[in-house]
Amino acid sequence: MNKHRPLDPQTYVPKPLSRIQAERMRSDAAEAYKKMVRAAKADGVNIVAVSGYRSYDTQASLYDSYVQQYGQETADTIAARPGHSEHQTGLAMDVGNSSGVCALQDCFEETPVGKWVAANAPAYGFIIRYPKGEQGVTGYTYEPWHLRYVGSDVLAEQIHAGAKATGEPDVDTMEEFFGLEPAPDYLP
């Protein structure tokens, strides 16, 4: 899903959802997330769940607050419109550090959690969904904290590695990997 591919229905609710700390994810994604968190902890890194599943109404409220704060043009680069959010699928989790340092900021990539998830999340079926320099493809600014469960460590590793079966370079977004057109803006 992206700015060209909304959920159908737009008010979709995934089932079943499982609790992770104060957040929720689709059950299969939650199990993979818990394994990833345990592995990070074994490496001395404490991943904190910041934002998981969001309902259509919650996303609408968040998006509307960003429009009021920053204007629609900027809001469209930092938050999905309701019905277009990966959080609404139950497959996305924003993560952070227990200290709160660089929460939801680009500098997150240089924190212990940021470095760990960049290197290790694909082994658990997660990718950084909005990579650096890909706003023209994904429509969103770089979000090193936004993890998307793709369901397979093999698939996640391939997307992470930026190479698909054809061997094309610079294929590090879901759009590029699956041969979809870039979705920098919402369709009219």
Side-chain angles (χ1 to χ4, degrees):
M1 84 171 304
N2 60 24
K3 290 181 177 182
H4 291 185
R5 291 170 187 77
L7 287 165
D8 185 18
Q10 288 203 356
T11 56
Y12 169 79
V13 177
K15 294 191 172 118
L17 288 168
S18 295
R19 188 146 305 276
I20 300 170
Q21 298 166 340
E23 299 300 322
R24 294 180 294 164
M25 289 186 89
R26 212 172 78 176
S27 293
D28 53 344
E31 288 308 310
Y33 179 84
K34 290 173 188 176
K35 287 179 186 174
M36 181 178 69
V37 169
R38 284 191 299 270
K41 192 166 194 76
D43 288 344
V45 175
N46 187 24
I47 298 174
V48 175
V50 174
S51 183
Y53 168 74
R54 295 184 202 138
S55 69
Y56 179 93
D57 291 339
T58 298
Q59 189 66 30
S61 178
L62 177 69
Y63 177 78
D64 289 346
S65 74
Y66 285 158
V67 169
Q68 293 301 312
Q69 191 172 4
Y70 305 112
Q72 186 169 358
E73 187 175 331
T74 297
D76 280 344
T77 68
I78 60 175
R81 292 179 184 176
H84 289 81
S85 174
E86 291 199 336
H87 286 280
Q88 194 178 329
T89 67
L91 297 172
M93 178 66 78
D94 292 343
V95 297
N97 297 284
S98 57
S99 66
V101 170
C102 291
L104 307 179
Q105 299 174 42
D106 288 0
C107 60
F108 174 77
E109 74 178 337
E110 294 302 322
T111 68
V113 173
K115 289 178 182 180
W116 196 94
V117 297
N120 298 288
Y124 301 91
F126 290 90
I127 62 168
I128 294 174
R129 177 64 175 99
Y130 305 117
K132 188 182 284 186
E134 297 290 356
Q135 185 172 341
V137 175
T138 67
Y140 296 100
T141 58
Y142 176 46
E143 292 189 0
W145 60 85
H146 182 97
L147 303 182
R148 166 64 151 78
Y149 183 64
V150 295
S152 158
D153 59 334
V154 173
L155 178 58
E157 292 281 2
Q158 289 174 332
I159 294 170
H160 175 72
K164 64 182 195 181
T166 62
E168 293 178 35
D170 191 31
V171 178
D172 58 354
T173 67
M174 288 178 64
E175 288 82 3
E176 293 165 324
F177 188 84
F178 290 110
L180 304 172
E181 80 277 357
D185 298 305
Y186 290 97
L187 296 175

